[in-house]
Amino acid sequence: MYKILIADDEADVVSLIKDYFEINGYEVLRAYNGQEALELAVKQPDIILLDVNMPELNGISVCKRIRDYVNCPILFLTARIEEADKITGFAAGGDDYIVKPFSIEELGARVAAHIRREHRNQAVVNVKFYGKLSIDYSAKTVRAEEDVIAFARKEYEIIELLSLNLGQVFDKERIYERIWGFDAQGDSGVVAEHIRRIRSKLSLYNEEYHLETVWGIGYKWIK
């Protein structure tokens, strides 16, 4: 049984969505403001529907707060959507937008598609091997043979981004946008320092060659 969290301050909208998904075999968690959504997100739902304009804490803010510990798809519910709104939502960690008023059947299909995609990705990716390294994308750990290498969260996320796009070159600005977000306060120069730390830790096992510098362009992960 899949678990869905519905967060919207309109009780009739929550009721409509709840009834539909319960009929279709989902376990439904309900929140009527951003704070309640935060509290229920710890129950690790399989997918989250977040109204953008909620009282106390809006959907974008909730998404930013929970994205570091919730890996499931997050879909925003909104009465209107413009390009700037999309950029803000995706930068916060959202995966899709559903514009109100919506067809409940279309919503159900979109939710099911995101859950299928998420489970396909987990099944396909799971663990990959590079030399003595193994990266477990579900557990978010990197091992050198039997040893777990202690990477900070951002360091791991850089490894994940590059290794899942084997051979593709990412410049510092693109890495910064993908890992820190479009609206992060800081400088892409921090990427170079994280790359240095990653290499230092990998070098203890002679595995630093996987993280290659393409001079004047950026970085890539190789086998």
Side-chain angles (χ1 to χ4, degrees):
M1 178 185 290
Y2 294 123
K3 188 187 301 180
I4 183 170
L5 168 56
I6 306 163
D8 196 304
D9 61 321
E10 297 181 65
D12 55 343
V13 171
V14 173
S15 179
L16 171 68
I17 299 173
K18 168 187 170 294
D19 291 346
Y20 173 85
F21 282 101
E22 283 185 341
I23 288 171
N24 284 277
Y26 289 74
E27 177 185 348
V28 177
L29 305 173
R30 290 171 290 170
Y32 298 95
N33 58 56
Q35 189 58 44
E36 289 180 358
L38 281 180
E39 293 168 3
L40 289 174
V42 301
K43 295 183 178 292
Q44 296 295 321
D46 295 287
I47 193 163
I48 297 173
L49 302 182
L50 278 181
D51 179 35
V52 171
N53 296 309
M54 287 187 293
E56 296 188 30
L57 205 60
N58 66 37
I60 301 294
S61 298
V62 171
C63 186
K64 287 180 180 178
R65 293 273 297 275
I66 67 177
R67 194 29 115 189
D68 285 344
Y69 64 88
V70 170
N71 293 320
C72 71
I74 296 176
L75 282 60
F76 290 115
L77 304 176
T78 182
R80 64 179 183 83
I81 183 66
E82 297 179 0
E83 194 67 26
D85 300 322
K86 284 187 177 181
I87 292 172
T88 300
F90 291 137
D95 296 282
D96 202 356
Y97 275 91
I98 308 292
V99 180
K100 298 177 181 179
F102 49 78
S103 157
I104 192 68
E105 295 293 340
E106 179 188 352
L107 176 63
R110 296 268 284 275
V111 165
H114 276 283
I115 289 177
R116 283 197 305 271
R117 188 178 302 118
E118 185 74 7
H119 282 264
R120 269 202 309 272
N121 288 344
Q122 290 176 0
V124 170
V125 174
N126 206 14
V127 179
K128 287 183 179 289
F129 298 90
Y130 307 94
K132 291 187 291 186
L133 297 180
S134 62
I135 304 176
D136 186 331
Y137 297 96
S138 298
K140 298 189 180 300
T141 56
V142 180
R143 291 178 180 269
E145 297 180 332
E146 297 303 312
D147 295 341
V148 175
I149 305 176
F151 287 109
R153 183 169 61 86
K154 296 297 187 188
E155 293 168 1
Y156 170 79
E157 289 176 354
I158 291 172
I159 293 173
E160 182 178 84
L161 171 65
L162 297 179
S163 63
L164 287 177
N165 294 277
L166 192 65
Q168 183 176 338
V169 180
F170 288 78
D171 62 28
K172 287 190 297 185
E173 288 71 24
R174 191 175 176 198
I175 293 172
Y176 187 77
E177 288 178 356
R178 293 284 291 271
I179 304 300
W180 277 266
F182 287 97
D183 57 351
Q185 300 296 315
D187 186 278
S188 62
V190 72
V191 172
E193 176 59 21
H194 280 67
I195 294 289
R196 186 193 65 76
R197 292 177 190 169
I198 293 168
R199 282 211 180 100
S200 176
K201 294 175 183 180
L202 291 176
S203 69
L204 298 175
Y205 302 91
N206 297 314
E207 294 292 306
E208 70 277 8
Y209 67 89
H210 297 293
L211 184 45
E212 183 176 291
T213 298
V214 181
W215 294 107
I217 304 177
Y219 308 97
K220 68 178 180 179
W221 190 267
I222 61 172
K223 287 186 176 180

